Amino acid sequence: MEDVRLVSILTGKPRDLGGGSTPTWRSGICKEPADGPVWLGKTGLAGDGQADLKHHGGPDKAVLAYAEAHYPLWRKELDLSHFTPGATGENFVISRQTEEAVCIGDTYRIGKAVVQVSQPRQPCWKPARRWNIRDLTLRMQNTGRTGWYYRVLEEGYVEAGTEVILLDRPYPQWTISRCNEIMYHRREDRESAAQLAACPLLSESWVRTLSKRAEEGSR
């Protein structure tokens, strides 16, 4: 494996956005780079938070990671020179890794912490609202540039520039890109939904969604 690194750490608390001629909305999507060591606990980074705890956060979605390689592509496609790390509310920016190379259950040591991949990100409406690009969420899904979540197995301090060391890969067949393909582009494939739902290290929310799809059909 290439030298994979945690390029930057971004945190931010929920705050009110918009106002003036647009309705106010509350979100933790605006993140700022964190300097020095940052404590990573079971439910996330010190100094970070989410506004909608029903759909964001929790042990299975403690940290949102995003591939450094995606930013130049978005800047070109969206013609936004300031689409930089933190643009979609991510916490970790990871170099030399994309959704094609990350798998459900991957376990990594990052600094003093140990994390495990739990699911792809399911982009909500907030990135589109933040950038005033109506179809940005759909573009994230269609391109597969969604990012992925970690759960925290061992708490500890993390710091930008640290190597991301793979400790275990129990399910190499379940890459984040393949999971996205099943979730977004193969909605009628009940067999694949059932197979993915049976992965023991997939997040509970994805297991529920895919199990229901396998039983009842596309949702």
Side-chain angles (χ1 to χ4, degrees):
M1 177 178 288
E2 292 186 89
D3 183 14
V4 178
R5 294 204 170 261
L6 173 59
V7 176
S8 59
I9 300 172
L10 302 115
T11 61
K13 292 288 191 179
R15 57 189 176 96
D16 292 332
L17 302 169
S21 61
T22 61
T24 299
W25 54 293
R26 189 167 181 80
S27 176
I29 194 171
C30 295
K31 311 292 186 186
E32 297 293 335
D35 295 325
V38 181
W39 178 256
L40 176 57
K42 288 290 186 178
T43 56
L45 292 157
D48 195 53
Q50 301 83 30
D52 179 4
L53 295 178
K54 180 179 179 181
H55 298 101
H56 303 286
D60 275 343
K61 294 184 281 188
V63 182
L64 175 58
Y66 207 65
E68 182 185 39
H70 293 339
Y71 299 106
L73 300 174
W74 285 124
R75 285 196 290 270
K76 181 178 180 181
E77 292 171 15
L78 302 176
D79 193 25
L80 286 173
S81 61
H82 51 298
F83 201 95
T84 55
T88 70
E90 57 272 20
N91 300 117
F92 282 2
V93 177
I94 307 293
S95 69
R96 299 184 178 88
Q97 222 178 30
T98 66
E99 289 78 2
E100 286 75 21
V102 176
C103 308
I104 301 298
D106 278 5
T107 302
Y108 299 97
R109 178 169 293 283
I110 305 178
K112 300 297 183 182
V114 176
V115 299
Q116 185 178 75
V117 177
S118 59
Q119 66 165 79
R121 180 196 195 168
Q122 286 185 275
C124 67
W125 55 271
K126 291 183 177 180
R129 178 71 177 274
R130 179 184 183 184
W131 293 99
N132 197 29
I133 299 173
R134 187 180 298 273
D135 66 343
L136 181 56
T137 298
L138 183 61
R139 290 197 201 189
M140 293 174 72
Q141 293 179 6
N142 287 344
T143 60
R145 299 179 212 146
T146 58
W148 56 91
Y149 280 106
Y150 299 119
R151 59 173 66 94
V152 179
L153 302 185
E154 294 182 17
E155 299 178 325
Y157 283 97
V158 293
E159 188 170 4
T162 303
E163 187 176 2
V164 177
I165 302 169
L166 180 65
L167 302 179
D168 190 27
R169 175 165 285 167
Y171 302 106
Q173 70 273 33
W174 292 123
T175 63
I176 294 297
S177 60
R178 185 181 178 199
C179 295
N180 281 333
E181 179 72 19
I182 292 169
M183 179 64 80
Y184 300 121
H185 305 296
R186 291 163 56 183
R187 295 179 181 272
E188 305 301 326
D189 188 345
R190 295 169 70 169
E191 181 178 353
S192 291
Q195 291 172 352
L196 178 52
C199 178
L201 296 180
L202 186 66
S203 69
E204 291 183 10
S205 63
W206 270 57
V207 169
R208 286 195 301 270
T209 298
L210 292 166
S211 295
K212 195 162 189 177
R213 182 184 294 180
E215 294 169 4
E216 302 177 5
S218 176
R219 292 184 67 84

